[in-house]
Amino acid sequence: MKIKAYLKFAGTLIFPKAEKKSSARASLFGAITCIGLSIVPLIVVISIANGMINGMTERMIGLSTGHIQAYVAAAIDETSSSEKFKEYAKSYTEKYKDILSAYPEISITGLASGKTIRTGAQIRAVSTEVFKTNKSFTNLFEIVDGDLNEFVNAEENVKVAVIGKKLSETLELKPGDTFKIITTKTLNGIVAPKLTTFTVSAIVSSGYQELDALWVFIPIDTAFKNLSLTNANFTIMMNTNDAFSSEISRTQRILQNDNGRYANFYRWNQVHEAEYQNFASTKVMLIFIMILIVIVASVNVSSAIVMLVMERQKEIAILKSIGAKPSGITLSFLIAGGSCGVAGVLAGVPVGILLSIFSPSIINGLEWIINKCYQLVLMIQGQEINSGNVLKLLDPDYYIQNFTVDIDINNILIVSVLTILLSVFVSIIPALKAGKEKPLDIMRKS
């Protein structure tokens, strides 16, 4: 028999001409349904995880370190004044064509003290124009309250600050309020606290509360004049064409070779290695769990093929009696198993993509339903309903507030191909058994 005949037989296994009831066929379509249903959450989870991880990574790169971060030695002439430090940062854009922008910064760990509460804070002394000229700052920071122009155009002796939304809530601050920054200074070998009062000019949000809870931005000129810089870190946030380009390692090496005497240079994924690895591990674990669901669903394909072999024993016997080879019969049932995987993929992938696209709206809808039910329960129990009773499926304290779904076509293709291959793999044993069936034995049984 020719290959065409085996393909035709495989087609009759999936779409038999007879209209009689078939438990094997029902099992086959049940397996397709299970595979489709298992692919849907896998695509949704991958898309949401990609969106969240990309959102967090984008904020860490654009708002924290830049593509390359230079750690500059403190005891050199270039860091002796704000003017010299700014000129030193600017020199990198003039000397290296790959460095598109460079922003000087002084980072100090201290305490921020509000009216009644104190909390740890990272004081970031930056150039006042960074909120206007840095694209990441303009795109990723949302002005919650106040006016950034007060910070950008701050007079030399006016101590103003821009703080994160979460920090403002913790310290109960609003624009126009004053608060104290507590750092340390060393006098005659004795470490003592140093208090500096600042006025809140604006409150901003990056959409990622882990960052908003820490950052206090002050003008770099103010830091040189009013803060003790003994324990400060002098850094320069540098940006290239692409943070994920392979060329960024070469640029880092050139910078280190040319300027290693006074500064050390690190790529963003070196500075944030722990967070980046954590994101990657979380994503891998989620995908692994979802793949287990697909594997369980594919077992149904094996069961369906077993039932199909039992139901088509007479046809197998007839085909073998007219010259069909065992390998040809095996191939027909493998095609049937693979077709289940293909059908499941064709059914599940579009649904998964659609649910991924509308997942933010779906999550918001589910939150609304859950909260209404929860409030109804509280009313029945006679308890008071307030803002603290609101439940969040994705709590912004741990995730970014507004995430964009990232549908990665390459990941979907990989999932689809693996699902089809898995369907073929689990069909091997029953397909081989079908190929080894002996016509005489089948005839005797019937």
Side-chain angles (χ1 to χ4, degrees):
M1 290 180 67
K2 296 182 178 180
I3 187 69
K4 186 177 179 181
Y6 296 124
L7 293 175
K8 189 173 181 180
F9 177 55
T12 62
L13 293 175
I14 304 168
F15 303 106
K17 293 181 180 180
E19 295 297 329
K20 65 179 182 179
K21 291 183 178 180
S22 169
S23 58
R25 188 182 181 192
S27 180
L28 209 60
F29 282 100
I32 292 172
T33 303
C34 288
I35 290 175
L37 291 175
S38 66
I39 288 176
V40 170
L42 178 56
I43 292 176
V44 172
V45 166
I46 291 175
S47 300
I48 292 177
N50 280 342
M52 285 193 166
I53 290 171
N54 290 343
M56 293 176 185
T57 304
E58 182 183 18
R59 282 158 176 77
M60 286 192 304
I61 296 173
L63 303 178
S64 181
T65 60
H67 302 172
I68 296 175
Q69 189 170 42
Y71 284 80
V72 185
I76 59 175
D77 184 60
E78 285 79 357
T79 58
S80 60
S81 69
S82 61
E83 290 76 15
K84 289 183 179 180
F85 193 28
K86 289 176 186 177
E87 284 299 320
Y88 179 62
K90 186 179 178 182
S91 68
Y92 282 96
T93 59
E94 297 171 347
K95 289 171 58 178
Y96 303 96
K97 63 179 182 178
D98 291 336
I99 304 301
L100 304 182
S101 60
Y103 298 96
E105 180 177 326
I106 302 172
S107 179
I108 308 169
T109 301
L111 289 174
S113 178
K115 299 172 184 177
T116 57
I117 302 172
R118 291 180 181 177
T119 184
Q122 182 183 0
I123 296 93
R124 299 180 61 183
V126 296
S127 301
T128 53
E129 66 271 12
V130 70
F131 282 97
K132 297 293 184 181
T133 59
N134 187 316
K135 291 182 179 179
S136 294
F137 275 60
T138 56
N139 294 334
L140 298 177
F141 270 130
E142 174 192 355
I143 302 173
V144 178
D145 199 0
D147 187 1
L148 271 177
N149 289 322
E150 293 183 14
F151 181 87
V152 175
N153 303 318
E155 296 180 6
E156 187 173 343
N157 296 321
V158 178
K159 303 185 189 72
V160 294
V162 173
I163 63 175
K165 178 184 176 183
K166 182 65 176 177
L167 185 63
S168 71
E169 293 172 354
T170 302
L171 299 180
E172 300 176 352
L173 296 173
K174 61 182 184 296
D177 289 347
T178 59
F179 71 103
K180 292 181 175 61
I181 288 178
I182 305 171
T183 54
T184 58
K185 61 180 179 180
T186 303
L187 294 173
N188 301 322
I190 299 173
V191 178
K194 179 176 176 60
L195 278 69
T196 310
T197 302
F198 285 85
T199 302
V200 178
S201 64
I203 296 170
V204 296
S205 172
S206 67
Y208 187 19
Q209 291 198 21
E210 187 172 322
L211 302 180
D212 293 345
L214 294 174
W215 288 343
V216 175
F217 294 95
I218 64 172
I220 196 168
D221 296 339
T222 304
F224 270 98
K225 292 178 180 179
N226 297 280
L227 299 182
S228 172
L229 304 182
T230 306
N231 299 316
N233 290 319
F234 292 80
T235 62
I236 300 174
M237 184 167 60
M238 303 180 182
N239 292 322
T240 62
N241 280 316
D242 184 5
F244 297 91
S245 171
S246 57
E247 289 296 310
I248 197 170
S249 296
R250 183 184 65 84
T251 303
Q252 178 199 15
R253 287 195 299 272
I254 292 173
L255 291 170
Q256 188 65 48
N257 290 336
D258 293 350
N259 308 280
R261 183 179 179 183
Y262 298 117
N264 289 317
F265 299 82
Y266 300 93
R267 300 187 308 275
W268 67 268
N269 54 352
Q270 292 176 315
V271 178
H272 297 294
E273 184 177 6
E275 294 91 339
Y276 192 63
Q277 291 297 330
N278 182 46
F279 292 157
S281 300
T282 301
K283 181 179 174 181
V284 169
M285 184 58 65
L286 287 171
I287 293 174
F288 175 72
I289 293 171
M290 292 297 106
I291 287 176
L292 288 179
I293 296 174
V294 176
I295 292 173
V296 171
S298 66
V299 173
N300 292 317
V301 176
S302 179
S303 301
I305 298 299
V306 169
M307 294 184 67
L308 200 60
V309 171
M310 295 174 63
E311 194 174 81
R312 297 302 184 91
Q313 283 185 330
K314 288 184 180 180
E315 293 179 36
I316 295 171
I318 293 170
L319 288 172
K320 282 204 164 187
S321 65
I322 60 174
K325 295 181 179 179
S327 58
I329 299 295
T330 299
L331 176 63
S332 297
F333 282 95
L334 285 177
I335 292 172
S339 298
C340 286
V342 171
V345 167
L346 293 176
V349 167
V351 176
I353 292 175
L354 283 173
L355 288 178
S356 297
I357 293 172
F358 295 104
S359 57
S361 300
I362 293 171
I363 290 172
N364 290 334
L366 288 173
E367 284 181 351
W368 184 85
I369 293 171
I370 291 171
N371 279 298
K372 289 298 180 184
C373 294
Y374 182 52
Q375 289 171 8
L376 180 61
V377 172
L378 292 178
M379 287 177 61
I380 294 172
Q381 294 176 347
Q383 297 184 32
E384 183 182 354
I385 299 173
N386 52 55
S387 59
N389 299 134
V390 177
L391 299 176
K392 291 285 187 181
L393 293 179
L394 296 176
D395 194 330
D397 284 347
Y398 306 101
Y399 305 98
I400 55 178
Q401 286 179 309
N402 300 306
F403 64 92
T404 55
V405 176
D406 183 9
I407 299 174
D408 192 324
I409 300 300
N410 291 329
N411 283 343
I412 293 175
L413 287 175
I414 291 171
V415 168
S416 300
V417 171
L418 289 177
T419 301
I420 294 168
L421 291 176
L422 189 59
S423 299
V424 174
F425 179 76
V426 297
S427 303
I428 290 175
I429 293 176
L432 287 173
K433 185 178 179 182
K436 292 178 182 179
E437 292 281 3
K438 297 179 180 179
L440 291 176
D441 292 342
I442 295 171
M443 293 300 183
R444 287 195 193 100
K445 292 177 184 177
S446 57

